Amino acid sequence: MDLSVLHQITYGMYVVGVNDNGRPAGCVINTLCQITSENPTIAISMNKNNYTFAVIERTKRFSISILSEDTNPNIIAGFGFRSGKDTDKFAGTSYTMEDNLPLLREAFCGGLLCDVISMTDMETHMVIIARLRDTIAGTHKNPMTYSYYHRVIKGKAPKNAPTYQEEKESDSVNLRYTCSVCGWVYEGDINREPEDYVCPICGAPKSAFKKL
Ligand SMILES: Cc1cc2nc3c(=O)[nH]c(=O)nc-3n(C[C@H](O)[C@H](O)[C@H](O)COP(=O)(O)O)c2cc1C
């Protein structure tokens, strides 16, 4: 089966927010779609290993912040490559609590407050169906698509993302580079990136990357 065909499916970019006993937590997702318009419902796919999923399972509530193309890549890196179990990912970001759920206010296109209706077990992931309790208007236009994140920001997806696909060995020949400024690891052949490529975490130039 040619799994690269799945790359033709389109998605958006979002931060799921949860209330972990009064502490804001959350993570990046791309797998969200609207299911119904009257009494609106949405579905998201969450990896069971994500701490955010554990909190959703416990509290049955979450928020969605719809990211715009202007979102700082550091936000995506911070929410998409670290666990919120011991880290306060919202620290240093601009966010508000809406109905006790955190909404990321950085260049965002809008927010959704959601109550879980049901969950379907898909082995590694759980598909979560939720009803909208409320919506919050955003400050930015141009929601970021998953394709924009890959094409323009040159971002990657970790293994927990439902759409993750391992790079073919012939593509990357197991090459890995580390950013000498922040230590972030680039998987693949960095020489295929344009000269103006910068580290998605700290913004260091391509020349700061050292081969591992
Ligand atoms: C671009 C991108 C898309 C992602 N999409 C999803 C997704 O749809 N579902 C999911 O469960 N994890 C997704 N992830 C992975 C989580 O954001 C990541 O595992 C995060 O570290 C989980 O944090 P937590 O343990 O605090 O919940 C994505 C990450 C990135 C960078």
Side-chain angles (χ1 to χ4, degrees):
M1 183 159 57
D2 178 6
L3 293 179
S4 69
V5 174
L6 297 176
H7 290 151
Q8 305 306 314
I9 298 174
T10 57
Y11 306 88
M13 289 285 289
Y14 314 92
V15 164
V16 178
V18 288
N19 186 326
D20 181 23
N21 295 320
R23 188 182 72 104
C27 72
V28 166
I29 61 161
N30 63 286
T31 50
L32 179 154
C33 69
Q34 184 177 346
I35 304 294
T36 57
S37 55
E38 275 174 40
N39 256 332
T41 54
I42 61 160
I44 62 173
S45 173
M46 290 290 300
N47 190 294
K48 292 181 191 171
N49 292 329
N50 285 348
Y51 186 66
T52 307
F53 169 68
V55 182
I56 294 178
E57 207 177 25
R58 180 166 21 100
T59 62
K60 305 282 188 283
R61 310 181 63 217
F62 61 89
S63 67
I64 295 289
S65 304
I66 304 168
L67 305 184
S68 76
E69 289 180 355
D70 296 328
T71 302
N72 188 326
N74 292 355
I75 293 276
I76 299 169
F79 278 86
F81 289 91
R82 295 183 302 168
S83 173
K85 194 166 182 194
D86 320 295
T87 317
D88 180 1
K89 298 186 190 178
F90 283 88
T93 69
S94 160
Y95 74 97
T96 55
M97 296 300 282
E98 304 292 336
D99 203 8
N100 286 322
L101 290 169
L103 260 196
L104 193 66
R105 296 285 190 158
E106 309 234 355
F108 96 132
C109 293
L112 315 174
L113 304 181
C114 310
D115 295 321
V116 174
I117 300 173
S118 67
M119 299 202 194
T120 300
D121 194 326
M122 300 305 295
E123 296 167 15
T124 53
H125 289 72
M126 201 61 103
V127 176
I128 303 172
I129 312 276
R131 174 150 284 131
L132 298 197
R133 171 194 290 265
D134 208 353
T135 60
I136 286 103
T139 49
H140 281 60
K141 304 260 182 252
N142 300 328
M144 187 188 292
T145 63
Y146 193 52
S147 142
Y148 182 95
Y149 170 69
H150 284 288
R151 271 187 303 107
V152 181
I153 298 187
K154 305 286 180 199
K156 311 246 169 233
K159 283 199 169 154
N160 281 3
T163 45
Y164 170 79
Q165 286 194 11
E166 231 167 310
E167 273 188 63
K168 288 197 195 88
E169 202 156 293
S170 57
D171 288 349
S172 63
V173 208
N174 291 330
L175 287 173
R176 297 171 88 231
Y177 298 81
T178 182
C179 172
S180 57
V181 177
C182 71
W184 184 70
V185 175
Y186 178 101
E187 312 241 1
D189 184 358
I190 203 163
N191 295 317
R192 291 196 303 184
E193 299 291 355
E195 283 317 302
D196 59 356
Y197 176 81
V198 294
C199 172
I201 302 286
C202 67
K206 187 175 164 183
S207 57
F209 281 83
K210 305 276 173 257
K211 197 158 177 277
L212 285 174

